[in-house]
Amino acid sequence: MINIKRAYAPAEEADGYRILVDRLWPRGISKEKAKVDLWMKAVAPSNELRRWFCHDPQRFPEFARRYQEELVSGGALDELRAVLAAHPAATLLFAAHDEEHNNAVVLLSLLRR
């Protein structure tokens, strides 16, 4: 079972293994409060793609396409799959305010295929 959740939301036991999938640490939240088990910067969008997207919902379809290309061409997705295989319940954490247009949504969709 894989879920996604904002890093700012309180940690819950149902979250299981908590994986931060952003390149940057969420602003204003301590590592203790975030309760992140693993920070996988390598699975996050590249800095160039992240800056281009700039959380613009109109750019989301193109962002999703480019991000999936990055994930498929790199080895980080395989590493994430191995981590997920070792944990029956996991939550991918993201910092974006927009819960519908962010990298974790794209990543979850790709993992569920």
Side-chain angles (χ1 to χ4, degrees), residues 23-24 44-70 101-103 106:
R23 192 162 301 277
L24 305 174
S46 66
N47 284 327
E48 296 79 17
L49 181 58
R50 183 179 54 79
R51 288 183 188 123
W52 173 84
F53 175 44
C54 198
H55 298 287
D56 180 349
Q58 292 181 344
R59 290 184 173 183
F60 186 72
E62 180 63 16
F63 166 78
R65 187 190 68 73
R66 291 182 188 186
Y67 180 40
Q68 287 180 40
E69 285 179 1
E70 286 184 357
H101 304 101
N102 63 67
N103 63 304
V106 176

Side-chain angles (χ1 to χ4, degrees), residues 23-96:
R23 192 162 301 277
L24 305 174
W25 187 263
R27 287 185 185 164
I29 189 168
S30 69
K31 293 186 180 189
E32 294 77 30
K33 187 173 180 181
K35 296 189 188 308
V36 170
D37 294 304
L38 179 64
W39 183 9
M40 292 194 71
K41 295 178 194 178
V43 80
S46 66
N47 284 327
E48 296 79 17
L49 181 58
R50 183 179 54 79
R51 288 183 188 123
W52 173 84
F53 175 44
C54 198
H55 298 287
D56 180 349
Q58 292 181 344
R59 290 184 173 183
F60 186 72
E62 180 63 16
F63 166 78
R65 187 190 68 73
R66 291 182 188 186
Y67 180 40
Q68 287 180 40
E69 285 179 1
E70 286 184 357
L71 288 167
V72 171
S73 66
L77 186 59
D78 291 335
E79 183 181 340
L80 177 59
R81 284 186 172 130
V83 169
L84 293 171
H87 298 90
T91 300
L92 306 178
L93 302 172
F94 62 94

Side-chain angles (χ1 to χ4, degrees), residues 5 9-13 15 18 33-35:
K5 185 177 191 177
E12 300 171 325
E13 193 171 321
D15 293 342
R18 293 168 53 90
K33 187 173 180 181
K35 296 189 188 308

